[in-house]
Amino acid sequence: MIDVILGLQWGDEGKGKIVDYFAPQYDIIARFQGGPNAGHTLYVQGQKIVLHQIPSGVFHPHTTNLIGNGVVLDAVTLKRECETVKSFGVDVRSNLFISERTHLILPGHRALDKASELQKGDAKIGSTLKGIGPAYMDKTGRNGLRVGDLLHKSFTSNYIKLRLKHQRLLDNFNFQEDISAGEDEFFEAIEFLRSLNIVSGEYFINDALAKGKKVLAEGAQGSMLDIDFGTFPFVTSSSTITAGVCNGLGVAPQKIRDVLGVTKAYCTRVGSGPFPTELNNDTGEQLRQIGSEFGATTGRPRRCGWIDLVALNFACMVNGVTKLIMTKADVLDQFETLQVCTAYNIDGSPSTQVPFQITRVELEPILQAFPGWQTNSTGITTGQPLPPAMDSYIAFINQHLGVPIKWVSNGPGRDQIISL
Ligand code: GDP
Ligand code: IMO
Ligand code: MG
């Protein structure tokens, strides 16, 4: 049986913390898409750790972690991250497994990401510049190199062929950066990667499922960044939704049980693209400061706004969300009034659907005001009553989405979570 935890907004919903919280209930934690564009924050022994490639269950001694075939893997980031977790006594040689079908991010991919963004100018996606798009392009273009290829003698010659292609593309972009600058570090990391557990991910996971093991699939990014259903072209290059679990791990849809959707109590977005409830004012700045809304991967300030139930409803629909987890509720503690977007006014008419191309229409969020709870919520634990105004806020969202909020996260700490 597989449960899924994924983000329902534009990423950074707090998935890392939530996966870390639920990990002890599972045997295997598996990443199924994305790459080091992800930054999943958790606190271990009071220390903040941001994971980019390794699943967020890695600090639990009885869980096994899998990097699935749907992920794109940066060996340099992985090596660095393995060193970090080792300093906490975690031995990745015993609890981390990597699918041989996982595609590699090469130095040329990172350079191409930069070149492509530069060429787009003001229309840039706001990519994390980790080489995600170009790596997935080489996958769908049937040129990419996979982790299993490392074990074959043709790896270096195939790398050189692909590098030539990348250089030609970079020349077309008139982009000067030298790919070879990062190659020593890359090959060192490739050597390290060879020493890790490289497996057939699909057999690994299906054998475990056949033995009755419990798997938690950990999403990266968020549903509104999905390559098909997100705010294209301002999206990432992978399937961030539940369907991506099947593709990204090699499991059948019938194996999926619960889909736990994570949403902030408000909304953020980092990078370019439409964001209907964005607040370009003092309130947005207040959310950013109180919520420490600065990117875990790039440090960029996150754009902030009110919770958007139109987008969330859409995300619940495409993912088949069965339970909701609302994070960062404590960030709203001080606000006198909260707003919730219940519909969009599109070209003068109300709508509860996410339009095909938000940037091509006149869109205004229709907001409903709620009183804030104006209480410090960070110490509330399971079983204790919620402030009445928080209760009403949650009840409204539950009713509007038709999916219940089952957990409320009220601080970044491991134990700051209320089960409702
Ligand atoms: P992810 O990418 O979805 O894992 O989220 P990030 O780690 O990028 O961003 C979430 C940020 O919010 C991190 O700094 C977390 O430590 C923090 N965080 C998570 N849950 C809560 C919460 O309930 N309250 C507060 N105040 N911070 C939280
Ligand atoms: P986690 O897993 C927030 C955004 C980037 C950019 C767009 C494309 O931590 O929630 P890419 O590097 O994929 O080409 O960037 O997607 N983005 C994220 N935003 N959280 C993430 O991951 C993100 N991963 C990518 O900012 O707008
Ligand atoms: Mg993040």
Side-chain angles (χ1 to χ4, degrees), residues 3-7 14-26 28-32 40-42 51 54-60 63 65 216-220 260 262 325 327 414 417:
D3 290 336
V4 186
I5 288 183
L6 42 72
K15 300 173 292 292
K17 169 190 157 151
I18 299 299
V19 170
D20 177 54
Y21 171 76
F22 282 105
Q25 301 173 27
Y26 294 87
I28 298 175
I29 315 293
R31 277 277 307 268
F32 58 93
H40 294 180
T41 313
L42 17 139
L51 293 173
I54 299 181
S56 302
V58 74
F59 293 102
H60 294 277
T63 57
N65 297 273
L216 180 61
E218 172 180 2
L260 308 176
V262 188
I325 300 162
T327 58
R414 242 182 182 172
I417 186 159

Side-chain angles (χ1 to χ4, degrees), residues 21 125 165 168 174:
Y21 171 76
I125 310 288
K165 180 197 151 196
R168 276 198 292 270
N174 210 4

Side-chain angles (χ1 to χ4, degrees), residues 328-348:
K328 306 195 88 159
D330 56 297
V331 174
L332 301 183
D333 280 356
Q334 299 167 31
F335 288 81
E336 202 179 312
T337 306
L338 309 173
Q339 304 280 350
V340 172
C341 169
T342 54
Y344 298 151
N345 208 334
I346 298 178
D347 294 332

Side-chain angles (χ1 to χ4, degrees), residues 311-381:
L312 275 179
N313 201 23
F314 175 81
C316 287
M317 174 181 79
V318 297
N319 285 300
V321 173
T322 57
K323 291 170 184 166
L324 288 165
I325 300 162
M326 188 168 89
T327 58
K328 306 195 88 159
D330 56 297
V331 174
L332 301 183
D333 280 356
Q334 299 167 31
F335 288 81
E336 202 179 312
T337 306
L338 309 173
Q339 304 280 350
V340 172
C341 169
T342 54
Y344 298 151
N345 208 334
I346 298 178
D347 294 332
S349 307
S351 168
T352 51
Q353 294 196 355
V354 175
F356 165 64
Q357 188 54 283
I358 296 182
T359 49
R360 285 192 202 143
V361 292
E362 279 297 319
L363 190 151
E364 281 293 323
I366 299 174
L367 299 171
Q368 186 166 332
F370 282 81
W373 40 93
Q374 298 193 279
T375 315
N376 179 350
S377 70
T378 55
I380 301 175
T381 54

Side-chain angles (χ1 to χ4, degrees), residues 6-7 10-19 37-43 48-51 56 218-222 262 264 266 268 290-297 302 326-332 378 408-413 416-417:
L6 42 72
W10 281 276
D12 303 327
E13 296 88 352
K15 300 173 292 292
K17 169 190 157 151
I18 299 299
V19 170
N37 47 350
H40 294 180
T41 313
L42 17 139
Y43 282 81
K48 179 175 168 174
I49 298 192
V50 182
L51 293 173
S56 302
E218 172 180 2
Q221 290 78 56
V262 188
K264 280 179 186 168
Y266 50 100
T268 64
I290 300 172
S292 308
E293 295 294 358
F294 298 90
T297 297
R302 294 177 182 147
M326 188 168 89
T327 58
K328 306 195 88 159
D330 56 297
V331 174
L332 301 183
T378 55
V408 174
S409 173
N410 54 340
Q416 286 177 298
I417 186 159

Side-chain angles (χ1 to χ4, degrees), residues 10-13 15 37-40 113 125-130 132-133 219-222 225 234-237 269-272 297 300:
W10 281 276
D12 303 327
E13 296 88 352
K15 300 173 292 292
N37 47 350
H40 294 180
D113 213 353
I125 310 288
S127 160
T128 60
L129 305 178
K130 303 293 177 189
I132 307 297
Q221 290 78 56
L225 288 171
F234 302 100
V235 293
T236 190
S237 301
R269 168 162 208 171
V270 62
S272 331
T297 297
R300 291 178 292 179

